[in-house]
């Protein structure tokens, strides 16, 4: 309708890019699933081969974990 305006408030430039958000989300899912690609791909609703490509493209690396004593 005429006469209606929508104000959009844009925060400072510390906003993350879509790629950064995607990388963080995939990383969290991988950590949660202990890097079980099959489980992670189900959670992310993408094929496993696409997940592998996303991991490579985003430069996500598995952190070394210390074995439990």
């Amino acid at each position: 309708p005429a006469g209606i305006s929508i104000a959009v408030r844009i925060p400072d430039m510390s906003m993350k890019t879509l790629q950064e958000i995607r990388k963080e989300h995939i990383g969290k899912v991988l950590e949660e699933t202990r890097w079980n690609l099959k489980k992670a791909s189900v959670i992310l609703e993408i094929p496993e081969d696409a997940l592998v490509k996303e991991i490579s493209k985003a430069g996500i690396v598995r952190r070394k974990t210390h074995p439990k004593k």
Side-chain angles (χ1 to χ4, degrees), residues 35-55:
W35 279 74
N36 182 317
L37 298 180
K38 181 172 270 206
K39 287 182 181 179
S41 67
V42 169
I43 292 168
L44 294 167
E45 298 181 346
I46 61 173
E48 195 172 334
D49 61 329
L51 175 58
V52 171
K53 288 178 186 176
E54 286 287 339
I55 292 168

Side-chain angles (χ1 to χ4, degrees), residues 3-68:
I4 295 177
S5 64
I6 299 173
V8 177
R9 189 172 186 153
I10 300 175
D12 62 21
M13 294 306 291
S14 65
M15 291 179 57
K16 296 179 181 180
T17 65
L18 183 57
Q19 290 80 11
E20 291 169 325
I21 293 168
R22 187 178 188 100
K23 179 178 179 176
E24 287 178 10
H25 183 62
I26 291 171
K28 287 177 184 178
V29 171
L30 288 167
E31 287 180 11
E32 185 67 30
T33 60
R34 296 182 172 182
W35 279 74
N36 182 317
L37 298 180
K38 181 172 270 206
K39 287 182 181 179
S41 67
V42 169
I43 292 168
L44 294 167
E45 298 181 346
I46 61 173
E48 195 172 334
D49 61 329
L51 175 58
V52 171
K53 288 178 186 176
E54 286 287 339
I55 292 168
S56 176
K57 181 179 162 184
I60 300 171
V61 293
R62 187 174 189 170
R63 292 188 214 167
K64 292 185 179 185
T65 56
H66 299 288
K68 293 181 180 179

